[in-house]
Amino acid sequence: MDQAEKLRELVRNKEKNVGDKLQYKNAKVFAITSGKGGVGKTSLAVNVAAFLSKIGKKVLIIDADLGLSNVEIMLGITPNHTIRDLIKNNKDIKEVITKGPFNLDFISGGNGFLEMAELSDVEREEILIKLQKLDEEYDVILIDTGAGISKNVISFLMVADEIIVITTSEPTSITDAYSVIKIVKDKIEKPDLGIIINRVKNIIEYKKASSLLINTSKDFLEMNIKNIGFIYEDSCVRNTIFKKTPFVIYYPDSQATGCIKYIVEKLEFNYEEKTSGLITKFRSWFKNVGR
Ligand SMILES: Nc1ncnc2c1ncn2[C@@H]1O[C@H](COP(=O)(O)OP(=O)(O)OP(=O)(O)O)[C@@H](O)[C@H]1O
């Protein structure tokens, strides 16, 4: 079965226990998702991408928040094409890549098109199959999904090697993150899942949020969820929009940049040897955090 056929089967199959995960030969594919909107998915994607690019990796960001794309705003560039052109104008995937600043490539999800939020299964499948062509071109592909749960979001999660759920320390943001995790568990066989808590004011708040996340459900501890880290509440993050530059580049010594560096290490991207033993699963993490 070739890659496209395997992907078709995977995407069509909505039930657990059937699809094995798509294996990429080259690129490591991360999908960044959340329960609530506005919790920091795009800030994370753009800055992790910029950090990886700075250390010499070939990185692509896919803005899969279809119809509400923000990556171009953070990078201060107008894309010539968007994901919409893949399906509405039958463009090839390579034609819709925008060469951004800081050696970053991205694909815009387009802005202001309701039809992008209402794609048919066939259109969605077409996008995912076309994305396969990029496997050889990049070391890392970061997919910035929309918030919440929709068919669009689930499709992109299905083709990721690892799913990163980002939440703030707000209780409702945490319970929504947990709902997303539950749905992912339901739809995807043995997903690789990691959590990031964003906009943390101090370590005490981080520990409280972690405990709440773990206490949200008894079966949480049974899940193999990686604690990837946290990001401080930091005005540098907001300034990304005004400076049109990722904060890891504009503010290399900021607290938030330190957090991104740590997160990149935890993502194990070509850091396997350096970080082996560092990866914390929630179970052991919880012991340290305490109830
Ligand atoms: N750690 C942080 N400190 C300060 N501000 C932050 C932090 N993280 C995100 N923000 C701010 O929160 C807002 C939303 O962030 P962002 O656009 O990255 O979220 P999102 O999850 O991608 O949103 P959407 O769901 O709308 O796509 C932005 O103004 C951003 O600057």
Side-chain angles (χ1 to χ4, degrees):
M1 195 188 297
D2 68 10
Q3 288 281 304
E5 192 47 47
K6 202 170 167 190
L7 179 64
R8 261 185 224 110
E9 198 175 281
L10 178 72
V11 173
R12 282 201 190 111
N13 203 326
K14 304 274 188 283
E15 298 307 315
K16 199 174 171 177
N17 296 329
V18 184
D20 58 343
K21 283 206 293 182
L22 194 75
Q23 292 297 310
Y24 297 90
K25 285 195 217 95
N26 187 43
K28 175 124 187 191
V29 182
F30 296 98
I32 301 171
T33 197
S34 67
K36 282 222 189 305
V39 295
K41 291 179 295 300
T42 310
S43 306
L44 178 72
V46 165
N47 284 281
V48 166
F51 191 92
L52 285 169
S53 177
K54 224 167 89 173
I55 60 172
K57 305 293 169 203
K58 189 104 172 60
V59 188
L60 173 77
I61 310 171
I62 299 172
D63 198 329
D65 197 352
L66 304 182
L68 295 169
S69 187
N70 268 334
V71 170
E72 57 259 47
I73 295 165
M74 289 202 186
L75 294 176
I77 185 165
T78 309
N80 292 331
H81 296 290
T82 74
I83 286 186
R84 184 170 178 270
D85 294 309
L86 290 180
I87 40 179
K88 303 293 174 193
N89 299 320
N90 204 27
K91 292 272 181 210
D92 184 74
I93 188 82
K94 291 186 188 164
E95 293 177 88
V96 303
I97 294 174
T98 300
K99 299 275 169 202
F102 320 108
N103 211 17
L104 284 177
D105 287 359
F106 74 96
I107 299 179
S108 167
N111 270 305
F113 293 106
L114 181 61
E115 78 229 32
M116 293 304 287
E118 297 170 342
L119 294 177
S120 69
D121 289 349
V122 172
E123 287 173 325
R124 213 173 288 117
E125 198 177 293
E126 203 181 316
I127 293 173
L128 296 176
I129 288 165
K130 285 184 173 181
L131 286 182
Q132 285 307 291
K133 282 196 186 169
L134 300 175
D135 183 32
E136 299 285 317
E137 309 272 319
Y138 293 94
D139 298 317
V140 183
I141 298 176
L142 289 159
I143 306 176
D144 175 15
T145 77
I149 286 300
S150 66
K151 281 188 170 181
N152 280 356
V153 172
I154 294 287
S155 307
F156 284 105
L157 299 186
M158 276 181 159
V159 297
D161 294 312
E162 187 160 341
I163 298 167
I164 301 168
V165 181
I166 180 166
T167 170
T168 67
S169 52
E170 285 294 312
T172 54
S173 179
I174 288 175
T175 48
D176 285 358
Y178 181 69
S179 301
V180 168
I181 290 168
K182 255 174 55 183
I183 291 166
V184 168
K185 283 278 178 187
D186 221 36
K187 296 277 182 200
I188 301 172
E189 176 78 355
K190 294 201 185 96
D192 271 322
L193 269 164
I195 292 267
I196 291 175
I197 301 178
N198 188 21
R199 311 196 71 152
V200 170
K201 292 192 188 65
N202 51 51
I203 293 295
I204 294 170
E205 190 185 87
Y206 171 53
K207 288 184 175 179
K208 270 191 190 161
S210 314
S211 298
L212 178 60
L213 190 54
I214 291 158
N215 287 328
T216 300
S217 168
K218 279 194 195 114
D219 61 3
F220 199 91
L221 287 174
E222 301 308 316
M223 298 184 193
N224 204 19
I225 300 174
K226 198 190 287 178
N227 160 28
I228 303 174
F230 68 93
I231 306 170
Y232 280 111
E233 170 77 34
D234 188 335
S235 56
C236 297
V237 182
R238 267 195 304 278
N239 286 349
T240 295
I241 298 270
F242 305 114
K243 307 290 184 196
K244 304 195 182 314
T245 305
F247 60 80
V248 294
I249 290 172
Y250 203 90
Y251 302 103
D253 300 322
S254 64
Q255 276 194 319
T257 298
C259 296
I260 295 291
K261 195 174 168 197
Y262 181 78
I263 285 167
V264 168
E265 287 177 2
K266 281 289 205 72
L267 289 176
E268 292 182 283
F269 181 73
N270 280 2
Y271 279 86
E272 282 89 348
E273 281 177 31
K274 222 172 97 187
T275 58
S276 59
L278 245 185
I279 300 306
T280 328
K281 302 289 180 196
F282 263 87
R283 202 188 306 257
S284 56
W285 182 44
F286 184 57
K287 277 191 200 143
N288 298 330
V289 169
R291 243 172 231 271

